[in-house]
């Protein structure tokens, strides 16, 4: 057997490396295994074998390479989840038995009735010959108990930080029971016949150990079952609801035609994936600035309400209050609370918000040719239709701008009707004002609420001119009459195809002469696609335009106009972030801003650090993968907790 063991290849080192990839503290288990090998094989025999070297190399080499890659790619030595969990309070609370971390551990031991098993664990050391396995089980158990204490526990009650402790505690308790039983049966040996001493003593010890262990473990089942039933009935985190919330934000983003849009939420493994949006993780685990600066109030105000301005927010209860977002006055002025959605639960408020600037235009100039007044006190002040030429079956967007010269005491209901040339209605939508989100009773006289109405032209619609009509209800005068507006669309497949081709030609003509005009056309063309063929043509145009913008950026940079180059490069990256040409110019421009920031940072002083921070932010804007700039930005942020200045 020993010869066969020598020929076995030690793959456990690589398995420990794979475990180390799962969580930042998991690498300690490979280290504990290494210490165990040193203590039980290398030290007693004073010999290092080939297998020992292979074991060490298969663990340490890939782990070292992975850490180097992490530093190169992320610029931080540990996952962002570590920084999100750690603060100055962590070490201070280790000796405080009333801290969150200690409470988390003690509640776990109490609820699952593991205190008896934990008390038994030291008895696993009651041996002289076989003490090493027990010692090296106790060490990782102490480590896994230390981690939730140091990280100050977890707000979820599934005890995920203690999942491995269950196995370790019960294993050591079993060894302790065997040790106790073994010591207890020693006096019995002298009463047994010589030929039965070994077998009978072993059987008695095994039965005694099983009895002790059964008594200890049996107390675990009922509280465990009770907790499981409670969790199944009312889980703290329901993955299906998280997925629904992500899809909900995607639907809301689609209503506003956001590509992709952004949302501030707690990304608990589903919001980001289901929403397909840029996510700012207020839970601090997936968002670097939140992870580094925590919920420092000045930082949250700057980062959320000035820098990122998420299109949507999910802020309520614990995370909303703890992050100071709910108490920030700008939440009331810059955002609008969305109506409750039954999919997301109706017992508690959803706490979902949308940026108000999508719903209101404050500097709008009314168009007297479009204006239509209604008895309810509201008036159509202007609008836009895109595309102005559509094919049958295509969705037409009517951007209807409203105004209320005087306060409207109650909310109004709007019915939007798409009419054909002969006045026949072909499509209708009825809802509360401004997409059901911003009721007329909230309107101010100096603002212009915007309703984005999407009406689909019927597949069998005849070619011709169609227009929008509106009915406003909810006033004391009754239902009100339906009134035609000047907002219209020309319907015809050939006309839509010709209009799209014309815009593509105009965009190409502007690539070199007027990139900004070309950009506006390319953005508008997204709404002209009414089939796969058109979508492919537009996507090819976007790639061609991105390549042209990269060339323009390089030319502007060579001419010494870095700001114009950056404008072109950022636009190019938005259109085609995989293009090698685009990546190259974005990376070069990002490095230029980064180097200026480093020079200012090394000079020191608050004024220089403020300028350095802006340079690092610009470097990240130009090329988001510049992780070094992202790190230095957090270390020079004036409202951050890490402003160290020199590096």
């Amino acid at each position: 057997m020993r010869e066969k063991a020598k020929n076995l290849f030690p793959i456990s080192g690589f398995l420990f490396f794979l475990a180390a990839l799962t969580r930042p503290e998991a690498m300690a288990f490979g280290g504990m295994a290494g210490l165990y090998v040193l203590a039980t094989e290398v030290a007693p025999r004073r010999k290092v074998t080939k297998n020992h070297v292979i074991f060490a190399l298969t663990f340490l080499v890939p782990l070292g390479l992975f850490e180097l890659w992490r530093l190169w790619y992320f610029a931080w030595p540990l996952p962002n989840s570590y920084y999100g969990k750690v603060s100055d309070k962590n070490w201070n609370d280790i000796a405080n038995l009333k801290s969150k971390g200690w409470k988390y551990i003690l509640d776990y031991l109490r609820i699952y009735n593991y205190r008896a098993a934990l008390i038994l664990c030291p008895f696993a050391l009651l041996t002289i010959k076989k003490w090493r396995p027990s010692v090296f089980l106790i060490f990782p158990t102490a480590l896994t108990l230390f981690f939730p204490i140091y990280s100050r526990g977890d707000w979820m009650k599934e005890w995920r930080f203690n999942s491995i402790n269950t196995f370790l505690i019960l294993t050591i308790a079993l060894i302790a029971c065997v040790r106790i039983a073994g010591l207890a049966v020693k006096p019995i040996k002298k009463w047994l016949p010589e030929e039965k001493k070994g077998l009978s003593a072993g059987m008695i010890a095994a039965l005694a150990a099983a009895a002790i262990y059964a008594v200890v473990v049996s107390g675990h089942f009922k509280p465990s079952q009770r907790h499981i039933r409670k969790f199944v009935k009312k889980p703290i985190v329901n993955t299906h609801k998280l997925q629904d919330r992500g899809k909900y934000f995607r639907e809301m983003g689609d209503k506003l035609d956001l590509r992709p849009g952004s949302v501030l939420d707690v990304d608990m493994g589903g919001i980001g994936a289901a929403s397909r949006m840029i996510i700012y993780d207020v839970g601090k685990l997936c968002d670097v600035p939140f992870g580094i600066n925590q919920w420092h109030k000045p930082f949250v105000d700057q980062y959320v309400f000035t820098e990122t301005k998420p299109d949507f927010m999910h802020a309520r209860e614990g995370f909303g209050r703890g992050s100071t977002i709910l108490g920030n006055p700008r939440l009331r002025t810059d955002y609008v609370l969305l109506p409750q959605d039954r999919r997301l639960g109706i017992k508690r408020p959803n706490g979902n918000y949308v940026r108000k600037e999508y719903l209101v235009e404050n500097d709008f100039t009314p168009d007297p040719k479009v204006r239509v007044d209604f008895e309810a006190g509201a008036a159509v002040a202007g609008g836009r239709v895109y595309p102005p030429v559509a094919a049958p079956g295509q969705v037409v967007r009517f951007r209807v701008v409203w105004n209320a010269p005087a306060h409207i005491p109650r909310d109004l209901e709007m019915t939007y009707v798409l009419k054909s040339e002969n006045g026949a209605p072909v499509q209708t939508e009825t809802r509360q004002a401004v997409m059901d989100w911003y009721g007329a009773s909230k309107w101010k006289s100096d603002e212009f609420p915007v309703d984005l109405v999407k009406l689909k032209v019927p597949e069998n619609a005849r070619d011709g001119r169609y227009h929008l009509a509106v009915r406003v209800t909810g006033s004391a005068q009754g239902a009100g009459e339906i009134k035609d507006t000047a907002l219209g669309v020309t319907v015809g497949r050939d006309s839509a195809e010709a209009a799209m081709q014309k815009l593509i030609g105009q965009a190409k003509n502007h690539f070199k002469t007027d990139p900004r005009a070309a950009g506006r056309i390319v953005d508008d063309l997204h709404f002209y696609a009414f089939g796969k063929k058109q979508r492919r043509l537009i996507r090819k145009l976007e790639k061609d335009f991105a390549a042209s913008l990269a060339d323009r950026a390089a030319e502007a940079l060579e001419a010494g106009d870095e700001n114009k180059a950056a404008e072109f490069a950022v636009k190019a990256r938005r259109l085609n972030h995989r293009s090698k040409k685009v990546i190259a110019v974005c990376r070069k421009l990002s490095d230029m801003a980064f180097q200026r920031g480093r020079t200012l940072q090394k000079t020191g002083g608050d004024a220089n650090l403020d300028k350095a921070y802006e340079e690092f932010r610009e470097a990240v804007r130009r090329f988001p993968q510049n992780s070094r700039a992202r790190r230095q930005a957090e270390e020079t942020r004036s409202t951050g907790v890490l402003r160290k200045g020199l590096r």
Side-chain angles (χ1 to χ4, degrees):
M1 286 293 291
R2 183 167 293 180
E3 288 298 321
K4 288 184 178 180
K6 287 182 179 179
N7 295 327
L8 293 176
F9 188 83
I11 64 170
S12 58
F14 188 71
L15 296 179
F16 277 116
F17 159 69
L18 294 179
L21 300 183
T22 61
R23 294 190 64 85
E25 76 277 8
M27 65 178 67
F29 293 105
M32 292 304 302
L35 289 175
Y36 180 79
V37 171
L38 285 172
T40 59
E41 295 186 17
V42 176
R45 299 174 187 175
R46 297 182 181 180
K47 182 180 179 181
V48 177
T49 68
K50 179 181 73 174
N51 282 358
H52 294 147
V53 175
I54 293 173
F55 170 81
L57 291 178
T58 53
F59 174 64
L60 295 175
V61 171
L63 185 63
L65 292 174
F66 177 76
E67 281 302 310
L68 289 174
W69 172 83
R70 194 207 303 273
L71 276 171
W72 170 76
Y73 192 82
F74 294 107
W76 272 279
L78 292 172
N80 192 62
S81 55
Y82 170 82
Y83 302 103
K85 290 286 183 183
V86 175
S87 68
D88 295 337
K89 296 180 180 179
N90 292 69
W91 280 113
N92 298 335
D93 285 349
I94 292 227
N96 180 11
L97 295 179
K98 295 182 179 180
S99 68
K100 290 181 179 180
W102 274 104
K103 187 176 185 303
Y104 183 79
I105 286 291
L106 296 175
D107 285 349
Y108 158 75
L109 297 173
R110 174 180 56 80
I111 289 175
Y112 283 96
N113 203 18
Y114 282 146
R115 288 173 292 190
L118 197 64
I119 292 171
L120 272 177
C121 287
F123 291 97
L125 300 175
L126 291 176
T127 179
I128 297 175
K129 294 181 179 179
K130 299 179 180 180
W131 59 272
R132 290 185 179 91
S134 302
V135 169
F136 282 94
L137 272 175
I138 288 174
F139 281 171
T141 303
L143 174 68
T144 55
L145 288 171
F146 167 79
F147 172 74
I149 295 173
Y150 176 66
S151 63
R152 305 178 76 228
D154 183 34
W155 64 274
M156 291 189 284
K157 298 302 182 183
E158 288 84 0
W159 311 105
R160 53 181 178 157
F161 290 173
N162 286 316
S163 57
I164 196 171
N165 288 329
T166 302
F167 166 77
L168 291 170
I169 290 173
L170 293 181
T171 300
I172 297 174
L174 175 60
I175 295 173
C177 291
V178 173
R179 300 277 190 261
I180 294 170
L183 292 174
V185 299
K186 279 187 177 180
I188 301 175
K189 286 187 177 181
K190 61 183 178 180
W191 301 102
L192 296 172
E194 191 66 32
E195 65 275 9
K196 294 184 178 180
K197 278 186 178 181
L199 178 63
S200 299
M203 290 180 63
I204 294 170
L207 290 172
I212 298 171
Y213 189 68
V215 171
V216 172
V217 175
S218 63
H220 159 71
F221 292 119
K222 285 187 177 180
S224 177
Q225 291 173 346
R226 187 166 55 247
H227 189 75
I228 290 172
R229 284 195 299 268
K230 183 180 178 182
F231 170 74
V232 170
K233 184 178 180 180
K234 190 178 180 181
I236 292 190
V237 176
N238 186 310
T239 53
H240 297 293
K241 288 184 178 179
L242 289 176
Q243 187 181 45
D244 282 346
R245 199 160 80 211
K247 291 180 178 178
Y248 166 82
F249 284 124
R250 180 66 270 158
E251 291 171 11
M252 300 302 103
D254 288 342
K255 284 187 175 183
L256 296 173
D257 289 327
L258 299 180
R259 296 184 294 160
S262 60
V263 57
L264 181 139
D265 201 343
V266 183
D267 189 23
M268 294 179 288
I271 303 297
S275 68
R276 305 191 306 278
M277 287 181 165
I278 298 169
I279 186 161
Y280 300 105
D281 183 13
V282 74
K284 302 179 289 188
L285 301 186
C286 304
D287 193 281
V288 168
F290 267 122
I292 298 301
N293 298 283
Q294 306 284 314
W295 289 338
H296 187 51
K297 189 174 181 179
F299 158 74
V300 174
D301 181 72
Q302 180 194 65
Y303 182 63
V304 174
F305 293 96
T306 301
E307 288 184 10
T308 59
K309 298 180 181 178
D311 299 321
F312 295 95
M313 283 192 197
H314 177 75
R316 65 176 178 85
E317 296 184 342
F319 282 101
R321 290 192 300 271
S323 63
T324 72
I325 288 174
L326 286 180
N328 195 303
R330 295 179 66 180
L331 181 66
R332 306 289 178 263
T333 58
D334 297 357
Y335 286 81
V336 171
L337 181 65
L338 291 170
Q340 303 303 308
D341 190 287
R342 294 183 68 86
R343 284 184 307 168
L344 307 178
I346 57 175
K347 292 183 179 179
R348 296 180 295 177
N350 295 152
N352 297 322
Y353 296 83
V354 61
R355 270 171 66 183
K356 189 175 181 180
E357 68 179 62
Y358 288 121
L359 313 182
V360 173
E361 289 196 16
N362 294 316
D363 298 325
F364 181 77
T365 302
D367 186 350
K369 296 179 181 179
V370 179
R371 185 177 182 90
V372 179
D373 292 286
F374 294 89
E375 293 179 353
V380 174
R384 180 192 169 202
V385 184
Y386 49 102
V389 183
Q394 189 172 357
V395 174
V396 180
R397 291 155 173 83
F398 293 90
R399 185 176 175 83
V400 184
V401 182
W402 290 88
N403 181 242
H407 175 67
I408 299 175
R410 68 187 72 187
D411 287 337
L412 303 176
E413 186 176 80
M414 276 63 171
T415 299
Y416 297 97
V417 183
L418 183 62
K419 287 185 175 183
S420 63
E421 281 185 314
N422 59 11
V426 297
Q427 193 65 266
T428 302
E429 181 177 345
T430 300
R431 65 190 185 198
Q432 293 292 316
V434 188
M435 293 173 286
D436 286 327
W437 296 349
Y438 191 50
S441 62
K442 300 176 183 177
W443 295 358
K444 299 176 183 177
S445 59
D446 60 342
E447 66 183 17
F448 294 88
V450 178
D451 214 348
L452 184 56
V453 185
K454 299 180 183 181
L455 297 175
K456 185 177 181 180
V457 179
E459 295 282 354
N460 59 351
R462 294 182 177 180
D463 293 358
R465 184 69 179 171
Y466 291 67
H467 67 275
L468 182 71
V470 183
R471 174 187 285 123
V472 177
T473 58
S475 66
Q477 285 78 10
E481 65 175 322
I482 187 166
K483 296 186 178 183
D484 294 334
T485 72
L487 301 175
V489 58
T490 299
V491 174
R493 181 171 294 274
D494 293 340
S495 301
E497 180 74 30
M500 193 190 77
Q501 291 293 348
K502 181 180 179 181
L503 281 180
I504 290 176
Q506 290 177 355
K508 289 180 177 179
N509 291 335
H510 287 313
F511 276 5
K512 293 184 178 181
T513 58
D514 192 349
R516 291 184 180 87
R520 289 192 293 269
I521 295 172
V522 170
D523 288 341
D524 281 347
L525 271 169
H526 173 75
F527 303 107
Y528 278 76
F530 55 87
K532 291 182 179 179
K533 175 186 174 183
Q534 290 75 26
R535 283 193 288 271
R536 284 196 298 266
L537 284 173
I538 293 170
R539 182 58 191 144
K540 183 180 183 305
L541 180 72
E542 288 178 339
K543 290 182 177 180
D544 292 343
F545 185 40
S548 176
L549 284 172
D551 291 336
R552 301 289 78 71
E555 291 172 5
L557 190 58
E558 189 175 345
D561 195 338
E562 184 181 334
N563 291 333
K564 181 182 286 188
E567 179 189 346
F568 291 154
V570 170
K571 176 72 174 179
R573 189 184 178 281
R574 187 173 73 84
L575 292 171
N576 189 8
H577 65 277
R578 294 182 179 179
S579 166
K580 292 181 179 179
K581 182 188 291 188
V582 172
I583 291 172
V585 70
C586 286
R587 193 191 298 273
K588 184 175 182 179
L589 285 161
S590 179
D591 286 341
M592 292 173 67
F594 176 78
Q595 293 303 328
R596 286 197 299 270
R598 286 294 281 165
T599 301
L600 290 164
Q601 187 181 22
K602 291 175 181 178
T603 304
D606 285 342
N608 285 326
L609 291 178
D610 286 340
K611 294 176 182 177
Y613 171 68
E614 294 300 328
E615 291 289 358
F616 292 136
R617 271 192 65 203
E618 177 63 14
V620 174
R621 187 183 77 90
R622 295 176 180 183
F623 190 61
Q625 282 87 347
N626 190 339
S627 55
R628 295 179 303 158
R630 194 178 295 278
R631 174 164 184 166
Q632 300 306 325
E634 297 315 313
E635 295 187 354
T636 54
R637 185 189 291 270
S638 61
T639 59
V641 296
L642 275 185
R643 187 173 233 198
K644 297 176 181 179
L646 300 179
R647 279 285 167 185

